[in-house]
Amino acid sequence: MKFGHFDDKSREYVIETPHTPLPWINYLGVNDFHSLISNTCGGYSFYKDAKLRRITRYRYNNVPRDISGRFFYINDKGTIWSPAYLPCKTALDSYTCRHGLSYSIFESSKNGLALKITCFVPLNDNCEINKVELTNTTGREKKFSFYSAVEFCLYNAIDDANNYQRNLNLAEVEIDNNTIYHKTEYRERRNHYAFYYSSRKHDGFDTSRDEFLGLENGWDQPVCVLKKTSKDSIVHDYYPIGCHRFELTLKPHESKTIIFILGYVENPEDKKWESKDVINKVKAKAIIEKYKSVKNVDKALNDLKKYWDGLLDAFNVKSNIVKFDRMANIWNQYQCMNTYLMSRSASYYETGTGRGMGFRDSCQDLLGFVHLIPDKAKERIIDIASIQFTDGSTYHQYQPLTKCGNADVGSGFNDDPLWLVAATVAYIKETGDTKILDIPTPFDNKKGSEKSLYDHLLISLNHTIDNLGPHGLPLIGRADWNDCLNLNCFSKTDGESFQTVENNDTHIAESVFIAGMFVKYGKEFVELANHLGKKDDAKHIQEYVDSIEKATIKYGFDYDGGWFKRAYDAYGHEVGSSKCEEGKIFIEPQGFCTMAGIGKDLGLGKKALEASKKYLYDDWGAELLNPPYSSYHLELGEISSYPEGVKENGAVFNHNNPWLTLAFCEEGEAEDAFDLYKRNAPSFIEDKSEIHKTEPYVYSQMIAGRYSPCYGQAKNSWLTGSATWSFVALSEGILGIKPQFDGLEIKPCLSKEFKEVKIKRKFRNCSFDIDIINKGTGNETLTVNGKKQTSSLIKLDKDVKNYSVIVNL
Ligand code: BGC
Ligand code: NOJ
């Protein structure tokens, strides 16, 4: 069952009912000001950092769900309703929510009054704009009250939710005509404030939540809305809000537009005040001035659309499979951009208070957005490398506001350093910019500790080399990509975090997955070092690529089962082998070791993929492991803490399904690659939305597996590495468009379902028009600008900017 439809022309998903199985959200803002917005106008805003600069409040775990947002109310002769359905919950005569690229539009009507609300964050200003158009669709005059409301957060979202003894004394506002200024704590150490403006002169306002709602009412029934009044309240302590009231009269078929701006401003220390206790509003007024007119707002929205046109121009696909094209051209790239912006910090499942920018996560995310925003990718790589320690290990995350690493979600994950190699190599292959390697980059952000980024890469690889275990395989440390495979943690205390509990590493537990990573990214580094003429480094790393590959073939493959083992635990026991009672086979090493080409001559990859199909597949893709753990294992950690079939304990993890897809492509298995791709690509499973439940336009982290009573239900939408890896599988695997150090390689692995695919790809200031004709001959021939080529690699000619490529398959 579907709850909406894709509108590819407008690049929107159109939600046709407010009663989606879960709130279906969108992200507004592509620079520093961000908002989450659900299909019922729920969500919140923040500046740069959802933990440290939260502007509006959101109550996760609320009942009913999703009752915090930018809300609007109408009191039309006693009928109280909200145009996006919540919070009033009054049935509407019509409703749609269009989530587009960084904007959302709500259209609804009731009793002859139609509203259209357009929400977005303009490209270069720190504010969210809500343009509200109210239309009387009847032949009679309409008189009604209209309200807008937001609830302010006291900036630090954790403190805001904890420290009531202090916070409930602080609220301060200023009212200046139609603008409500939230200046709480500005009188002391903060140099920032928020404001909420309306372009129409209000007939009343409120800044005290309790005055607006009344003592016992919720957001669905504010006393002021019920009574068609405002208290003009000035909050002094408790809960600050911004609320405007308008008494409107619309003639038959008349429309009126009101623009609301929720903004954020920072002032320098010496320019904080206009006069005693009166804040300096110059910057706020400049934003207001800019966006108070409909013309300018429409232009700003248009600029945003053009920004997205420009971005998505870098990669565009036209095939005979519409569902594939809409993932390729719109939604997959859009999700990649939002994971760039948010990492794993703020979604409806990540509260913005838990995780900042993850080292491993952000490095992987980069693979999906580097072709869109190479300059930002460069900055991100340096930010990430700067939280590394001198021995190559690293903090696991940093806060976006400070860019400093912290150990809040642990450290000592031995896969982390290798992802930096993956990200940097991807950046160089995309841009050709090897100069990035010379950038002096600190360790732990300490001044004076800088070494070149190239050295950081070498140190990262050496970190694996310096941490090999008894079988010559990499030690796992706290965990590897699978955060829940905690082989050195032994947690017996309830509630203890598996990520931060003491790491009792005895240097025995090893990871076959990290071995796969080392071989894959080690080889890429060797190629890079050779490319740069650094022969000694290339030789050194190649030596270990070879020895770790050998160790994996010898100790990392289960020849009885026919698949790659997962690990050795702290007792030296095998994990993920046919000897185990549960957790016999894991997905991660099947994908990564095959992608790395480990034991290719021996047919190990082919066997591993066959085994994955046989044991891991369900309707929604490949499950993470099989069979799931049915009881808690002290020696395995969090993985066995989850019920069977969910999360790391046997769900379909959308993040590592693409590793299998890419592995199929590595082995030339086009039908298998596309079959797996389709099992969880959002547009291909849209019609199962009532089971899948999360948004049908983006990937979720997981889909519950066969052993779960909730089989098929997805969790944790939006902020997941599934976006990036699915894009890599789609673009580099299936379509086979692979940036290389020396040019662009074109080596598709196309299922028979594709007839002809036309691709436009921008690459290093050149444009490629690629036409793939899939006759299924099994032989690739390539013609570039009219000339037949023998190799699949197209080297760039400095005098040629446009490449017209015909690929016959
Ligand atoms: C989750 C993992 C996540 C980890 C770190 C665990 O509870 O299952 O998916 O990576 O927490 O936040
Ligand atoms: C989600 C985390 O963000 C990611 O870093 C981790 O690799 C996966 N979960 C698997 O545990």
Side-chain angles (χ1 to χ4, degrees):
M1 178 183 168
K2 299 201 278 186
F3 298 86
H5 64 272
F6 286 96
D7 177 347
D8 294 337
K9 215 161 162 241
S10 312
R11 299 189 302 213
E12 294 170 340
Y13 191 82
V14 186
I15 303 169
E16 292 155 3
T17 166
H19 309 292
T20 44
L22 288 162
W24 285 359
I25 72 161
N26 194 11
Y27 286 89
L28 313 180
V30 292
N31 282 309
D32 293 335
F33 190 103
H34 301 282
S35 298
L36 280 62
I37 185 161
S38 71
N39 60 315
T40 47
C41 257
Y44 58 93
S45 304
F46 59 93
Y47 173 75
K48 280 191 183 172
D49 192 315
K51 177 170 161 184
L52 302 176
R53 281 289 190 284
R54 189 76 68 95
I55 295 167
T56 48
R57 192 173 272 152
Y58 192 82
R59 289 180 189 77
Y60 284 91
N61 275 345
N62 202 12
V63 180
R65 69 186 194 186
D66 205 21
I67 300 288
S68 310
R70 70 286 287 143
F71 285 142
F72 298 97
Y73 301 89
I74 287 134
N75 184 335
D76 180 6
K77 298 208 183 81
T79 302
I80 315 278
W81 60 283
S82 294
Y85 183 68
L86 287 183
C88 283
K89 293 180 285 180
T90 307
L92 301 168
D93 294 344
S94 66
Y95 160 97
T96 56
C97 161
R98 299 178 157 263
H99 283 322
L101 304 183
S102 305
Y103 68 86
S104 293
I105 298 176
F106 301 82
E107 283 176 278
S108 64
S109 62
K110 177 126 193 120
N111 299 342
L113 180 62
L115 266 83
K116 178 173 180 188
I117 306 174
T118 306
C119 307
F120 69 102
V121 171
L123 277 177
N124 296 312
D125 285 300
N126 295 322
C127 62
E128 178 183 320
I129 293 176
N130 298 161
K131 179 177 112 176
V132 182
E133 297 162 82
L134 306 104
T135 306
N136 177 1
T137 59
T138 72
R140 289 161 281 116
E141 185 176 86
K142 257 185 139 9
K143 270 183 191 290
F144 58 94
S145 310
F146 177 59
Y147 293 77
S148 70
V150 295
E151 181 177 4
F152 293 113
C153 182
L154 305 194
Y155 300 113
N156 179 326
I158 293 198
D159 193 67
D160 181 74
N162 283 328
N163 196 5
Y164 302 113
Q165 62 81 24
R166 171 177 159 83
N167 294 340
L168 298 185
N169 302 287
L170 301 180
E172 276 195 298
V173 291
E174 256 181 68
I175 316 291
D176 180 48
N177 295 314
N178 302 314
T179 311
I180 294 165
Y181 290 88
H182 165 42
K183 61 171 185 178
T184 306
E185 287 187 316
Y186 187 79
R187 63 197 296 280
E188 33 125 346
R189 291 152 299 167
R190 293 194 185 280
N191 68 349
H192 51 88
Y193 60 76
F195 64 90
Y196 188 48
Y197 158 87
S198 79
S199 64
R200 186 183 172 88
K201 189 171 165 20
H202 54 221
D203 297 298
F205 67 89
D206 273 290
T207 66
S208 158
R209 188 191 77 186
D210 292 350
E211 291 290 338
F212 176 61
L213 296 183
L215 292 182
E216 276 107 28
N217 288 23
W219 285 97
D220 56 334
Q221 300 266 298
V223 160
C224 284
V225 178
L226 295 177
K227 294 192 175 157
K228 282 172 92 54
T229 176
S230 295
K231 299 275 178 58
D232 293 354
S233 56
I234 305 285
V235 72
H236 287 292
D237 40 21
Y238 282 86
Y239 300 102
I241 62 166
C243 170
H244 304 280
R245 177 177 57 87
F246 310 90
E247 295 305 324
L248 297 177
T249 305
L250 291 177
K251 294 192 203 91
H253 306 292
E254 190 194 7
S255 289
K256 281 192 173 140
T257 300
I258 309 177
I259 291 159
F260 296 91
I261 305 172
L262 174 71
Y264 171 88
V265 161
E266 283 179 1
N267 279 331
E269 188 61 36
D270 58 342
K271 297 217 168 68
K272 278 179 70 167
W273 304 99
E274 182 184 309
S275 57
K276 173 97 177 108
D277 294 338
V278 180
I279 60 177
N280 176 351
K281 305 184 184 69
V282 172
K283 287 188 186 168
K285 286 188 174 163
I287 296 179
I288 291 169
E289 207 40 49
K290 194 160 165 189
Y291 298 113
K292 68 180 190 191
S293 76
V294 170
K295 195 169 140 239
N296 287 359
V297 165
D298 291 349
K299 182 178 176 306
L301 180 61
N302 213 22
D303 289 347
L304 183 64
K305 288 186 178 168
K306 281 201 212 128
Y307 167 79
W308 275 106
D309 288 344
L311 283 183
L312 297 179
D313 239 19
F315 185 90
N316 189 277
V317 180
K318 199 167 169 15
S319 77
N320 54 308
I321 304 175
V322 174
K323 290 179 183 172
F324 182 80
D325 293 1
R326 72 166 61 112
M327 290 318 303
N329 298 333
I330 309 169
W331 294 99
N332 201 168
Q333 296 198 69
Y334 182 53
Q335 188 175 3
C336 286
M337 274 296 281
N338 281 303
T339 57
Y340 154 71
L341 292 164
M342 300 288 130
S343 190
R344 306 295 171 272
S345 67
S347 75
Y348 266 31
Y349 310 93
E350 303 280 6
T351 60
T353 58
R355 294 199 271 177
M357 315 301 282
F359 190 101
R360 167 204 298 143
D361 295 327
S362 295
C363 282
Q364 290 172 86
D365 291 346
L366 196 135
L367 310 183
F369 66 74
V370 63
H371 68 293
L372 296 170
I373 42 167
D375 291 344
K376 291 186 174 169
K378 179 175 178 181
E379 184 184 338
R380 179 61 55 84
I381 289 174
I382 302 300
D383 287 349
I384 296 171
S386 305
I387 64 164
Q388 224 178 349
F389 298 113
T390 48
D391 69 350
S393 67
T394 169
Y395 287 113
H396 202 42
Q397 71 155 17
Y398 67 92
Q399 274 314 122
L401 198 67
T402 61
K403 294 197 173 173
C404 286
N406 63 56
D408 293 357
V409 291
S411 68
F413 298 87
N414 281 354
D415 63 315
D416 268 339
L418 294 176
W419 293 116
L420 184 65
V421 181
T424 310
V425 164
Y427 169 80
I428 295 174
K429 285 186 171 175
E430 180 65 40
T431 59
D433 170 23
T434 48
K435 287 207 197 75
I436 190 177
L437 295 167
D438 302 331
I439 296 180
T441 309
F443 292 89
D444 194 7
N445 277 296
K446 296 217 166 73
K447 268 220 156 72
S449 68
E450 292 82 0
K451 284 200 169 166
S452 70
L453 179 65
Y454 179 84
D455 285 339
H456 276 260
L457 299 193
L458 205 53
I459 290 168
S460 296
L461 289 155
N462 280 331
H463 181 265
T464 306
I465 294 170
D466 295 342
N467 288 282
L468 294 174
H471 299 92
L473 294 166
L475 292 169
I476 197 167
R478 178 177 289 286
D480 59 22
W481 172 87
N482 191 330
D483 272 337
C484 298
L485 199 58
N486 314 116
L487 302 182
N488 294 306
C489 117
F490 307 100
S491 174
K492 280 188 179 162
T493 309
D494 66 3
E496 197 164 57
S497 157
F498 289 94
Q499 316 298 320
T500 51
V501 66
E502 194 185 343
N503 178 1
N504 292 304
D505 196 348
T506 51
H507 295 195
I508 292 180
E510 298 168 296
S511 160
V512 177
F513 169 75
I514 301 182
M517 270 190 92
F518 185 88
V519 173
K520 178 167 163 51
Y521 296 122
K523 281 182 185 166
E524 296 194 7
F525 179 85
V526 168
E527 209 189 328
L528 174 66
N530 278 326
H531 185 77
L532 300 170
K534 304 210 181 228
K535 301 282 175 219
D536 288 349
D537 293 340
K539 192 162 159 261
H540 164 64
I541 299 300
Q542 184 64 49
E543 207 175 288
Y544 283 93
V545 165
D546 293 343
S547 72
I548 292 178
E549 179 161 9
K550 265 196 207 121
T552 311
I553 293 172
K554 189 154 178 205
Y555 300 110
F557 198 81
D558 176 355
Y559 290 89
D560 294 333
W563 58 78
F564 289 99
K565 296 175 200 170
R566 181 61 177 85
Y568 285 89
D569 71 14
Y571 302 101
H573 298 149
E574 294 177 5
V575 179
S577 96
S578 51
K579 289 202 191 104
C580 307
E581 262 180 43
E582 294 174 338
K584 286 174 185 290
I585 171 170
F586 280 62
I587 193 172
E588 304 97 313
Q590 319 315 328
F592 242 83
C593 294
T594 309
M595 274 199 270
I598 296 180
K600 194 167 181 169
D601 302 345
L602 307 169
L604 299 192
K606 279 223 179 316
K607 282 197 185 127
L609 293 175
E610 274 315 306
S612 304
K613 273 164 52 181
K614 188 157 167 205
Y615 299 110
L616 297 176
Y617 269 31
D618 69 26
D619 290 346
W620 304 83
E623 294 166 356
L624 193 144
L625 57 82
N626 185 271
Y629 296 105
S630 57
S631 56
Y632 180 59
H633 288 251
L634 198 58
E635 77 289 4
L636 298 177
E638 185 168 2
I639 194 159
S640 59
S641 75
Y642 284 116
E644 291 153 85
V646 301
K647 293 280 282 182
E648 279 84 345
N649 193 16
V652 171
F653 238 74
N654 289 321
H655 187 133
N656 45 32
N657 271 242
W659 297 346
L660 282 190
T661 308
L662 285 159
F664 281 123
C665 294
E666 177 68 32
E667 294 290 338
E669 301 291 352
E671 299 309 324
D672 283 327
F674 195 46
D675 168 64
L676 183 57
Y677 174 82
K678 285 186 296 185
R679 286 177 194 236
N680 46 44
S683 60
F684 286 86
I685 55 176
E686 184 201 4
D687 54 1
K688 295 193 272 188
S689 287
E690 82 286 10
I691 305 169
H692 181 264
K693 291 195 164 63
T694 53
E695 295 89 334
Y697 38 91
V698 289
Y699 285 92
S700 293
Q701 182 194 50
M702 59 145 268
I703 304 174
R706 288 163 292 175
Y707 287 74
S708 163
C710 307
Y711 178 46
Q713 182 176 332
K715 295 272 172 64
N716 297 1
S717 57
W718 278 100
L719 303 185
T720 152
S722 317
T724 227
W725 278 106
S726 300
F727 187 70
V728 175
L730 170 162
S731 59
E732 298 191 19
I734 295 172
L735 298 176
I737 315 289
K738 296 184 207 169
Q740 301 290 6
F741 293 121
D742 293 326
L744 192 65
E745 187 178 17
I746 305 186
K747 212 175 169 184
C749 185
L750 280 187
S751 147
K752 287 197 197 76
E753 286 183 50
F754 290 94
K755 302 292 173 234
E756 185 175 1
V757 190
K758 288 182 194 271
I759 302 159
K760 281 186 191 300
R761 172 72 152 95
K762 293 236 168 81
F763 181 65
R764 300 191 199 168
N765 294 325
C766 298
S767 65
F768 280 74
D769 279 294
I770 305 161
D771 191 355
I772 310 174
I773 300 146
N774 190 21
K775 295 205 181 110
T777 61
N779 254 338
E780 175 177 330
T781 60
L782 216 75
T783 313
V784 183
N785 288 345
K787 281 198 204 109
K788 271 218 161 142
Q789 264 210 199
T790 42
S791 150
S792 54
L793 180 70
I794 304 173
K795 291 199 175 169
L796 297 188
D797 176 338
K798 65 176 177 12
D799 299 323
V800 181
K801 287 280 163 238
N802 301 317
Y803 295 79
S804 162
V805 186
I806 299 173
V807 188
N808 276 294
L809 291 180

